[in-house]
Amino acid sequence: MEQKLVLKPWGRERILEVNDRYAMKILEVDAGHRLSLQYHVKKVETMYCLYGYGTLFVDNREINLLPGRYITIEPGQIHRLQAGENSPIAILET
C-alpha cells in the first residue's frame, strides 16, 4: 500500500497500512495543537513517540510524551493527544 497523507486542522496523518486487523499511521501534530477528545468501543491503540514532546490525556491522567515513550490505550478510555506549546510531535499509532 502506498502511504497516504491526510491534512488535518492539527497537522497531518500519514497512513502507512490498513487491513482487517489493524491500522498503522503516523500522527504529526503541530506545536501547540491537539486532537479532539475521543474514545473507542473496541479498538486498542498503542502510541509510540517518534520525535517531539507533548501530553497524552487518558481518563484523568496526564502522561508526558518524549521520544521512545509509548502507551497503550484500552477500549473505553477517553483520550486526547496534544503537542507541546513549542514542539511538534510525531506519534506512530497502531
Side-chain angles (χ1 to χ4, degrees):
M1 175 181 168
E2 186 174 320
Q3 192 179 117
K4 180 180 177 185
L5 178 66
V6 180
L7 299 179
K8 300 286 189 172
W10 41 261
R12 63 213 129 285
E13 66 180 10
R14 297 178 187 279
I15 301 171
L16 305 175
E17 177 70 35
V18 177
N19 62 43
D20 60 341
R21 295 192 60 218
Y22 71 91
M24 181 183 294
K25 53 185 139 178
I26 297 174
L27 308 176
E28 296 174 320
V29 184
D30 295 334
H33 286 77
R34 65 183 184 186
L35 280 66
S36 61
L37 197 58
Q38 55 189 284
Y39 78 96
H40 309 289
V41 175
K42 294 182 180 181
K43 183 168 71 171
V44 174
E45 288 181 329
T46 298
M47 295 184 172
Y48 177 85
C49 183
L50 297 170
Y51 68 78
Y53 299 92
T55 305
L56 185 62
F57 300 89
V58 180
D59 292 331
N60 294 319
R61 296 180 299 148
E62 290 185 22
I63 300 161
N64 293 321
L65 294 176
L66 59 152
R69 184 146 193 209
Y70 69 92
I71 184 166
T72 298
I73 301 166
E74 299 295 332
Q77 289 188 300
I78 298 170
H79 59 282
R80 175 191 313 235
L81 174 63
Q82 181 172 321
E85 195 59 39
N86 298 310
S87 175
I89 190 169
I91 300 291
L92 177 63
E93 178 187 275
T94 58

